[in-house]
Amino acid sequence: MINIPKGTKDVLPEQSYKWQYLEDAARSVAAAFGLKEIRTPVFEHTELFLRGVGETTDVVTKEMYTFEDKGGRSITLKPEGTAGVARSFIENGLANSPMPLKSYYLTPCYRYERPQAGRLREFHQFGIEVYGSAQPETDAEVIFAASSFLNKLGIKGARLEINSIGCKSCRAEYNRALKEYFRPHLDGMCANCRDRFDKNPLRIIDCKEEACRKITAGAPKILDYLCPDCRAHFESVKGYLSALGVEYTVNPDIVRGLDYYTRTVFEFVSTAIGAQGTVCGGGRYDGLIAELGGGNVPAVGFAAGLERLLLLMDNTGVEFPAPPVPRVYVAGMDEPTRKKAFGIVNGLRVKGISAECDHMARSVKAQFKYADKIGAEYVAVIGGNELESGSCTLKRMRDGQTFDMPFADIYEFLKNNI
Ligand code: ATP
Ligand code: MG
């Protein structure tokens, strides 16, 4: 037997309605916020992620699915959604469209990680990206869209944590302060952090190693190094959030895993799904488009991990609306009545009514049992009499009530009996 690759999951027919529910919720929130879908390839040139995600990030140094294609190009399966959207924005000249450009995506992502609950090698993200606005209300709107999505799903207890990691100039000063602080501790830190110390000391704050975390606890905080503009921006974002009634806490240790963030960063975190508690992360990335060779276009967005949301919903007993069931099951007894049932059922399907009949040569009794198992709302049996009279009885399974009607009226009846 050939097994599924490590860190991937099948979504089986009995479970897929949960995924569709999540995706429908994402699309309806996106529509309400005026976001249009963008679809970009699952694979891109590796260079895009080196530049767009950042060479010192965990994603790039450890987690990418990179391979050489038959043409000798280095190709990488997308580890996140933003870099591809930014590439597309530049390549398609979307800076010329009316700003802001508001987009969303639903996409699989690939990261070579150690699989655990809520951490997979193939996972899925709902993300939104707004290009062109540097205004703080756009940050607040994006955060509010994430919060609306979680609320729509019935998720409670996902805490919003926000921070500002400043712009290039405040970060330069902060990085200097970090270096001064970490220099005497370097011997006690992991090899990765020693490397980050030279290349990008901010990344040390994100290290998950216990020893590094202890040292990091006493490190200078970015909020003390914000320039006046970045400070004003952060204050304004907080003001807009409060005006919308969005609760948050400021967590100066959030720096986010990707290099392209500037100013606002945020996460929605839950304690109900163990160590992998971040269900949604995002922020502002004003330098990304320029970094990838486009113009000076500010941007803000988030990505939510759908597997973690499903896990959180399952763990906290959030109800999913029941999946749709067949409206009617039509049973037959012998060759001519089965043929009639088959005809009625397919006639209904063409008109958009979900209907079912026998495919397993079952007895009428077994067909009733099956109809019950699949949750059919009504059952009709076509026998010799029915065939002759051209009418039948629909039995409502919920309460046993019966309704007589000609075959030709079944459609109208079901359409009106919603
Ligand atoms: P973490 O700190 O948990 O590794 P991250 O900072 O790497 O998260 P992001 O790059 O911000 O995650 O991705 C956004 C969201 O995608 C995360 O908040 C999470 O919900 C989800 N996510 C990230 N990596 C995985 C994964 N390997 N499996 C499942 N979901 C994931
Ligand atoms: Mg990660």
Side-chain angles (χ1 to χ4, degrees), residues 89-111:
F89 181 90
I90 299 167
E91 194 165 357
N92 293 293
L94 299 187
N96 297 322
S97 48
M99 292 286 127
L101 185 107
K102 302 173 79 173
S103 62
Y104 79 94
Y105 57 80
L106 280 158
T107 184
C109 297
Y110 302 85
R111 296 185 192 178

Side-chain angles (χ1 to χ4, degrees), residues 110-130:
Y110 302 85
R111 296 185 192 178
Y112 194 77
E113 302 202 64
R114 197 166 65 78
Q116 305 156 56
R119 192 175 293 287
L120 291 135
R121 290 183 175 175
E122 180 186 63
F123 62 100
H124 297 79
Q125 287 185 341
F126 164 49
I128 80 175
E129 315 251 325
V130 179

Side-chain angles (χ1 to χ4, degrees), residues 179-190 194 215-216:
K179 280 193 150 182
E180 216 166 283
Y181 172 81
F182 283 122
R183 197 181 311 274
H185 297 289
L186 274 181
D187 285 346
M189 301 179 75
C190 74
R194 288 201 295 273
I215 295 167
T216 299

Side-chain angles (χ1 to χ4, degrees), residues 20-206:
Q20 289 168 351
Y21 176 62
L22 233 68
E23 289 161 0
D24 288 349
R27 289 186 198 283
S28 86
V29 168
F33 280 82
L35 301 147
K36 292 195 177 127
E37 184 174 10
I38 178 161
R39 302 189 189 199
T40 65
V42 159
F43 59 87
E44 297 271 1
H45 292 293
T46 302
E47 178 70 18
L48 174 68
F49 301 115
L50 299 185
R51 297 216 342 237
V53 178
E55 306 209 24
T56 57
T57 59
D58 280 359
V59 169
V60 166
T61 55
K62 297 191 269 191
E63 299 169 1
M64 292 209 304
Y65 272 92
T66 299
F67 59 96
E68 198 172 281
D69 73 3
K70 291 195 199 313
R73 303 169 195 90
S74 181
I75 294 291
T76 295
L77 303 184
K78 59 162 97 160
E80 51 87 61
T82 296
V85 175
R87 189 235 355 107
S88 176
F89 181 90
I90 299 167
E91 194 165 357
N92 293 293
L94 299 187
N96 297 322
S97 48
M99 292 286 127
L101 185 107
K102 302 173 79 173
S103 62
Y104 79 94
Y105 57 80
L106 280 158
T107 184
C109 297
Y110 302 85
R111 296 185 192 178
Y112 194 77
E113 302 202 64
R114 197 166 65 78
Q116 305 156 56
R119 192 175 293 287
L120 291 135
R121 290 183 175 175
E122 180 186 63
F123 62 100
H124 297 79
Q125 287 185 341
F126 164 49
I128 80 175
E129 315 251 325
V130 179
Y131 289 92
S133 161
Q135 297 290 108
E137 56 265 46
T138 313
D139 308 41
E141 180 173 301
V142 164
I143 294 172
F144 189 59
S147 147
S148 304
F149 176 53
L150 300 181
N151 285 339
K152 192 173 181 71
L153 293 175
I155 287 172
K156 295 202 179 64
R159 192 172 70 247
L160 169 62
E161 301 191 344
I162 63 172
N163 189 24
S164 172
I165 57 172
C167 60
K168 263 205 173 109
S169 81
C170 19
R171 207 126 95 219
E173 201 180 319
Y174 180 55
N175 274 335
R176 265 197 297 279
L178 283 180
K179 280 193 150 182
E180 216 166 283
Y181 172 81
F182 283 122
R183 197 181 311 274
H185 297 289
L186 274 181
D187 285 346
M189 301 179 75
C190 74
N192 251 334
C193 280
R194 288 201 295 273
D195 191 41
R196 289 167 177 145
F197 178 83
D198 290 319
K199 294 186 182 147
N200 191 353
L202 182 74
R203 290 257 66 78
I204 298 176
I205 309 281
D206 211 27

